[in-house]
Amino acid sequence: MENELRNPADAPPGRTSVGRRVGALALSVTGMAALLAAQFTTLCIVTAGNGGTAFLLGRAAEVKTRSYDIAALSGSATGLFVSWALLLGMFVVAWARPKLRRVASWVALAALAVSVLLLFDLARSAIPLAGWHPDERPRVELALGGWLSLTGESC
């Protein structure tokens, strides 16, 4: 058999431009719904106490838990809201001006990185708000609101 170069026009048809636009719109609506849901669910859970060490020493564990949503941390969340607005704005720019899609995707990627860092920093800022002493070794875990916001940002 002879190897021959194929003409790109002879390639089997892939997804059409309309299909890509519909897929992008569905993905962005899903992401915006996740970001909206993240506003009303618990963002992080701060836990302090001697759960692990008490168990090892045979004593009763004293564990204190407090949960926070974005509204409780709203003073710190301004940067996060700005980065979410920037992500939405870059989607609109990429949709309206196809020539700027490459630039919009790089700006959106930078906004995504900044918003992920802000989200983790926002969760850590719940420790001073809880008022625990560093000796209590508080731990911060992302709750459903944090994971929803990460999902919404990646969409």
Side-chain angles (χ1 to χ4, degrees), residues 94-150:
W95 185 273
R97 303 275 185 198
K99 292 180 181 178
L100 297 177
R101 282 191 183 150
R102 184 170 299 268
V103 173
S105 67
W106 282 107
V107 172
L109 187 61
L112 174 65
V114 167
S115 61
V116 166
L117 292 174
L118 286 173
L119 181 71
F120 286 117
D121 187 53
L122 184 64
R124 283 186 29 194
S125 71
I127 292 175
L129 186 66
W132 281 316
H133 193 270
D135 291 340
E136 294 179 292
R137 289 184 228 128
R139 296 180 312 276
V140 178
E141 299 170 9
L142 285 182
L144 181 62
W147 293 112
L148 278 175
S149 63
L150 286 174

Side-chain angles (χ1 to χ4, degrees), residues 6-138:
R6 290 188 177 187
N7 186 358
D10 296 335
R15 290 176 62 182
T16 64
S17 175
V18 173
R20 277 183 263 156
R21 287 181 183 255
V22 169
L25 183 62
L27 189 62
S28 64
V29 167
T30 304
M32 289 301 124
L35 288 178
L36 183 65
Q39 304 298 310
F40 303 107
T41 55
T42 302
L43 175 73
C44 63
I45 298 171
V46 182
T47 306
N50 60 358
T53 57
F55 175 75
L56 292 174
L57 298 174
R59 289 185 281 174
E62 294 179 26
V63 178
K64 305 170 203 163
T65 303
R66 294 184 184 147
S67 60
Y68 296 95
D69 58 358
I70 290 182
L73 305 170
S74 62
S76 307
T78 305
L80 188 62
F81 293 137
V82 168
S83 65
W84 286 350
L86 186 61
L87 282 171
L88 178 61
M90 288 302 101
F91 175 73
V92 171
V93 166
W95 185 273
R97 303 275 185 198
K99 292 180 181 178
L100 297 177
R101 282 191 183 150
R102 184 170 299 268
V103 173
S105 67
W106 282 107
V107 172
L109 187 61
L112 174 65
V114 167
S115 61
V116 166
L117 292 174
L118 286 173
L119 181 71
F120 286 117
D121 187 53
L122 184 64
R124 283 186 29 194
S125 71
I127 292 175
L129 186 66
W132 281 316
H133 193 270
D135 291 340
E136 294 179 292
R137 289 184 228 128

